[in-house]
Amino acid sequence: MFRNTYDSDNTVFSPQGRLHQVEYALEAVKQGSAAVGLRSKTHAILLALKRSTGELASYQQKMFRIDDHVGIAIAGLTSDARVLSNFMRQQAMGERMIFNRPMPVNRLVSSIADKAQVNTQEYGRRPYGVGFLVIGQDQTGPHLFEFSPSGNSYEYYAMSIGARSQSAKTYLEKHYESFADCNLEDLIRHGLHALRETLQQDKELNVNNTSVGIIGPMGQHEKPISPPGSFRILEGDKVEVYLQSMEKKEEAPAPVPAPASVPDAAPAPGSDEDVQMSG
Amino acid sequence: MIMPDMDSLAHPQERRFNPYTENGGTILAIAGADFSVIAGDTRQSEGYSIQTRYAPKVFRLTDRAVLAVNGFAADGNMFVKKVKQRLEWYHHAHAKDMPLRAIARLIQTMLYARRFFPYYVYNILGGIEEDGTGAVYSFDPVGSYEREACRAAGAAQSLVQPFLDNQIYFKNQEAAQGTSHPSHLPLETVLSIVIDSFTSATERHIEVGDGLEIFIALSKGRTLQGMESIRGLQELTVTEDGERLFVMRRDLKKD
């Protein structure tokens, strides 16, 4: 599959009608560590797996606050992510200043999609090498969007991007119909299970490598923030209680686990009911 | 027959758009040991007319910083919006709120950047410092600033500031024999001084009146002792740990 002659210039189509530079940019997103997004009627959440270069290094930040009502998780080139998230922040702040209301989420996502598209059509510019999962809340409720460097954006009930994200997608496809009525804790549990699917054999989710972003009313384990329902990122010890609420990892993930498979560790204070994975 | 105005024929006339106007009103801030009080009346006027009886001049920036702006209302309102935007950028970059003395310095740089077309605004920044003490910073329109124990600004500044100098700094009065003036006043006393300042200013200055809005910033861990008797106190902060911010409103005479 030799594509070499058509893939160094952004402005050259291949005979099959493809822009290879854009496709290579999508590869960069697939190289980043996984991020998962899902939503219910009341909340939209993001979960991200943070990577570190080694035991001595810190973990790469995967989530950014854009405004009170919008947050993002990134996969791909972090430097490109910073630039685009800065742009999103400017857009959101500008809308608030000019129109005296928070920016509608779909409009915000379209603004970076349009910005990214320019880099797929201008000679000499390379596409952005980062993809986003954007969660937000506006008058039409909670939302989840995917943004990709091709300039496409699309709304989802649940989505995942980054390395081995297909495994997470499979989990999400299996369970997404139950998300709408989930409470926040169950939604996070689903998200963590989906994220866990993307891990390599001997790895596990822990307080250092897991990041949770939430939009929507305060959960059981949270303290009040202002304004209520704002985007917040849970990291470190704050994630512990949700990690504890996960099902013990089995060889083949069961669709409906029996109560007997509750983890050996003492259940966290919040999870006092049987894990409901479907229905 | 009226004699024509010979004087105006003697020199050329020039009509220009005046970008500024005075909207009246008065603001005041007093710093305590572990609290800060920032107040402003709510009347907005132009000349002898009242534009509105309720136009806020005192704004919450963060849970521990409050900015009062007085002078030209359009510049004041826009300046507050721009300060809030800068604070939000800081929060994005550092994941925490800006400390009060940093906000004060920021305000100076923002004002001086417009040295040759200034914001016609007298700013008073009040709140809680990083070390937990109550603080008041006052500014001139081009950014000269200073930390003080108390400051009044605006239309009735000349009525209120001398009263504060006497009641807060105890100027021109001697303590009773064998005693000394307290170095810090309690919150109840400060609130009485604030309310009396405004009711008195309302009596004698036409641009002051209608309503009074008082913000109270409390240091972390300070109890609400002494505040139970205040009616109409509304909390703006959501948690009990950390600094707390309250607002109260009172009526002032409408004539």
Side-chain angles (χ1 to χ4, degrees), chain A residues 188 192 221-222 234 238-246:
Chain A
I188 295 178
L192 288 171
H221 308 291
E222 293 189 275
L234 305 180
K238 291 200 189 130
V239 189
E240 181 64 42
V241 63
Y242 301 103
L243 291 173
Q244 294 282 8
S245 74
M246 287 172 74

Side-chain angles (χ1 to χ4, degrees), chain B residues 143-154:
Chain B
S144 165
Y145 80 106
E146 186 184 18
R147 181 175 175 182
E148 297 172 289
C150 68
R151 169 65 68 187

Side-chain angles (χ1 to χ4, degrees), chain B residues 36-57:
Chain B
S36 193
V37 174
I38 308 94
D41 71 329
T42 62
R43 174 177 285 181
Q44 189 170 300
S45 48
E46 190 171 4
Y48 288 110
S49 304
I50 293 179
Q51 289 186 336
T52 174
R53 296 197 189 275
Y54 184 72
K57 285 196 275 290

Side-chain angles (χ1 to χ4, degrees), chain A residues 5 15 25 71 87 103 129 132 146 155 162 173 208 210 217 227 263 276 278:
Chain A
T5 40
F87 176 79
M103 187 162 190
F132 291 167
E146 184 201 6
E155 186 166 6
E173 276 165 12
N208 289 322
T210 310
Q276 276 146 33
S278 62

Side-chain angles (χ1 to χ4, degrees), chain A residues 40-51:
Chain A
S40 68
K41 279 196 199 124
T42 51
H43 292 82
I45 62 171
L46 294 167
L47 302 100
L49 186 63
K50 292 188 280 188
R51 218 179 246 164

Side-chain angles (χ1 to χ4, degrees), chain A residues 3-274:
Chain A
R3 345 182 243 193
N4 281 341
T5 40
Y6 304 108
D7 66 3
S8 36
D9 247 328
N10 217 355
T11 51
V12 177
F13 275 106
S14 80
Q16 292 78 34
R18 293 151 75 159
L19 290 169
H20 287 300
Q21 274 298 297
V22 177
E23 298 192 8
Y24 297 160
L26 295 171
E27 278 304 310
V29 177
K30 288 182 202 161
Q31 296 299 322
S33 68
V36 170
L38 56 160
R39 72 164 162 104
S40 68
K41 279 196 199 124
T42 51
H43 292 82
I45 62 171
L46 294 167
L47 302 100
L49 186 63
K50 292 188 280 188
R51 218 179 246 164
S52 87
T53 45
E55 282 189 35
L56 296 172
S58 61
Y59 288 81
Q60 179 65 263
Q61 193 190 2
K62 292 277 284 182
M63 248 176 245
F64 295 91
R65 174 182 170 273
I66 301 298
D67 197 344
D68 283 338
H69 68 302
V70 179
I72 63 172
I74 68 166
L77 269 49
T78 314
S79 40
D80 283 2
R82 257 204 345 265
V83 161
L84 278 174
S85 62
N86 234 37
F87 176 79
M88 287 176 88
R89 285 168 176 168
Q90 278 178 331
Q91 289 288 298
M93 248 190 250
E95 284 268 315
R96 267 194 200 270
M97 171 81 126
I98 296 169
F99 300 109
N100 197 27
R101 55 113 180 87
M103 187 162 190
V105 190
N106 62 335
R107 231 174 268 193
L108 183 55
V109 177
S110 297
S111 72
I112 42 165
D114 291 343
K115 188 172 163 70
Q117 191 279 340
V118 172
N119 286 35
T120 68
Q121 205 172 9
E122 249 171 66
Y123 180 71
R125 298 179 75 154
R126 67 159 177 84
Y128 288 100
V130 63
F132 291 167
L133 288 178
V134 183
I135 54 169
Q137 187 148 52
D138 56 27
Q139 283 150 318
T140 46
H143 299 280
L144 166 69
F145 289 86
E146 184 201 6
F147 156 79
S148 85
S150 58
N152 281 330
S153 66
Y154 206 71
E155 186 166 6
Y156 288 94
Y157 292 111
M159 185 54 171
S160 74
I161 57 174
R164 291 175 290 283
S165 58
Q166 185 52 52
S167 322
K169 246 176 256 183
T170 313
Y171 178 94
L172 294 171
E173 276 165 12
K174 206 181 283 186
H175 295 105
Y176 79 94
E177 273 158 335
S178 66
F179 292 166
D181 293 313
C182 272
N183 66 19
L184 179 60
E185 289 72 36
D186 286 340
L187 200 66
I188 295 178
R189 200 168 9 202
H190 274 301
L192 288 171
H193 281 104
L195 190 63
R196 187 170 60 184
E197 298 295 314
T198 69
L199 290 169
Q200 284 169 306
Q201 191 61 327
D202 51 343
K203 299 280 192 284
E204 46 145 35
L205 295 178
N206 57 50
V207 295
N208 289 322
N209 67 8
T210 310
S211 210
V212 181
I214 306 171
I215 274 266
M218 186 174 76
Q220 256 184 330
H221 308 291
E222 293 189 275
K223 288 170 109 170
I225 44 162
S226 179
S230 300
F231 177 75
R232 58 264 188 204
I233 302 175
L234 305 180
E235 281 173 323
D237 291 330
K238 291 200 189 130
V239 189
E240 181 64 42
V241 63
Y242 301 103
L243 291 173
Q244 294 282 8
S245 74
M246 287 172 74
E247 284 276 300
K248 259 277 188 283
K249 189 163 185 178
E250 298 155 28
E251 293 310 301
V256 182
S261 61
V262 164
D264 301 323
S271 55
D272 53 354
E273 57 249 335
D274 288 347

